[in-house]
Amino acid sequence: MQQGQSLGSLMAGKRGLIMGVANDRSIAWGIADRLHRQGAELAFTYQGDAFERRVRPLAQSLGSDLVLPCDVSRESDIDSVIATLGEAWGTLDFVVHAVAYSDKDELKGQYLDTTRDNFAKTLVVSCYSFTALARRASALMTGGGSLITLSYLGAKRVTPNYNVMGIAKAALETSVRYLAADLGGAGVRVNAISAGPMRTLAGSAIADARFVYRWNGTHAPLGRNVTLEEVGSAGLYLLSDLSAGVTGETLYVDGGYNTVGIPSPRRLGPEQN
Ligand code: NAD
């Protein structure tokens, strides 16, 4: 049996919501798969009919029939998801928020050219939605709980074309700390995973994504990019009792790339030496 295939019971008896599956390469899917293998019961949301066709069979493959529409830019959608979970389950143990959006035309070129409309939309969908969700979901976490969201190094440092999404992720990471403070007294933990570049739909919307992927893989201390399974396992850690003492954190799962100041010349081609 491969390491990733093992079934366990870390999440037995726990129920949670997975937001952000678009297909089987989505980070949300990698986390859901890990949680399922450890006995979690899952509900999923999808954004619009086109995604429903992909998400429903994936959810069913993990034994989930709770598959609900949710466009996070609509507060009423978030309300009805939480109301449905309240009716179906009564309580909730965890939430995965793996949702982000910005106009593709502004994920290239200069940050300087960001429009007011896209700035607002990007921040609402990619950052505020986590706060809106945390407020409602935590009300169902009567026995404590854990929420995670997804960030990227572009929150902290300038990376090519990440632009307004970097500002949204910086706000998201700061939200994690404020939400952790607000909800800690209720035993609800809030953390982020800062994942290295992954080949997903959202990842490919950023110009020069292939260059960034190659660069990260070459210069990360591990000498490679991370896998969906590895990000999934980090999600499992943060959502399970293994991380019971951890909140307000941003955990890098990027092969160590964020720790590198200047890449080793040994990793550069001869033309750069
Ligand atoms: P993905 O395209 O598989 O997932 C993005 C999801 O966001 C999709 O399911 C999409 O439906 C959803 N979404 C967008 N707007 C929405 C809205 N208004 N309402 C509801 N859902 C909406 O890509 P992914 O890479 O798995 O992205 C998941 C998260 O991981 C994002 O927050 C992304 O920024 C983050 N992240 C991605 C990478 C990467 O390289 N791919 C790296 C670090 C962090």
Side-chain angles (χ1 to χ4, degrees):
M1 191 182 273
Q2 285 182 326
Q3 193 198 356
Q5 304 301 310
S6 63
L7 298 171
S9 55
L10 272 177
M11 300 302 286
K14 291 192 194 281
R15 290 163 158 167
L17 174 64
I18 310 287
M19 214 171 231
V21 176
N23 54 43
D24 62 1
R25 280 175 298 146
S26 294
I27 293 174
W29 177 248
I31 299 171
D33 182 57
R34 275 295 191 263
L35 294 165
H36 171 74
R37 289 175 194 281
Q38 294 290 330
E41 196 174 339
L42 305 174
F44 291 82
T45 63
Y46 59 87
Q47 179 204 9
D49 297 344
F51 285 115
E52 180 182 13
R53 282 192 288 280
R54 294 200 209 135
V55 176
R56 199 168 281 284
L58 286 170
Q60 277 164 357
S61 74
L62 300 189
S64 173
D65 288 326
L66 268 173
V67 184
L68 310 165
C70 185
D71 180 332
V72 297
S73 60
R74 290 201 286 258
E75 298 268 316
S76 56
D77 279 17
I78 306 177
D79 280 335
S80 50
V81 167
I82 296 299
T84 305
L85 293 183
E87 281 162 28
W89 288 344
T91 60
L92 190 63
D93 300 295
F94 63 87
V95 168
V96 174
H97 172 275
V99 167
Y101 172 81
S102 186
D103 183 342
K104 213 174 161 180
D105 288 341
E106 298 194 10
L107 296 174
K108 62 184 179 193
Q110 304 188 102
Y111 170 66
L112 192 64
D113 297 325
T114 304
T115 60
R116 182 182 294 257
D117 276 0
N118 186 49
F119 186 97
K121 176 124 207 213
T122 303
L123 269 284
V124 166
V125 171
S126 316
C127 174
Y128 181 71
S129 66
F130 186 55
T131 298
L133 180 64
R135 187 165 59 247
R136 292 161 173 88
S138 60
L140 292 182
M141 293 179 167
T142 49
S146 178
L147 297 101
I148 61 170
T149 187
L150 269 297
S151 190
Y152 176 62
L153 182 62
K156 293 263 186 201
R157 311 210 197 135
V158 175
T159 62
N161 305 303
Y162 207 57
N163 297 351
V164 63
M165 191 59 83
I167 281 76
K169 294 300 192 190
L172 181 65
E173 290 183 11
T174 305
S175 306
V176 163
R177 292 187 279 274
Y178 278 88
L179 291 169
D182 288 347
L183 296 172
V188 175
R189 301 184 292 108
V190 188
N191 292 287
I193 292 173
S194 183
M198 314 279 299
R199 290 191 155 138
T200 63
L201 267 185
S204 64
I206 300 150
D208 299 321
R210 282 174 182 213
F211 166 80
V212 170
Y213 186 83
R214 229 177 21 247
W215 180 273
N216 195 94
T218 304
H219 299 301
L222 290 183
R224 62 171 176 84
N225 284 300
V226 294
T227 65
L228 199 53
E229 288 75 18
E230 288 167 339
V231 179
S233 294
L236 171 64
Y237 162 70
L238 288 173
L239 296 172
S240 74
D241 294 341
L242 288 177
S243 61
V246 180
T247 195
E249 282 296 329
T250 297
L251 174 64
Y252 283 90
V253 183
D254 65 348
Y257 180 75
N258 74 95
T259 65
V260 174
I262 299 176
S264 164
R266 283 190 301 280
R267 293 177 188 259
L268 293 170
E271 68 279 9
Q272 271 109 344
N273 283 291

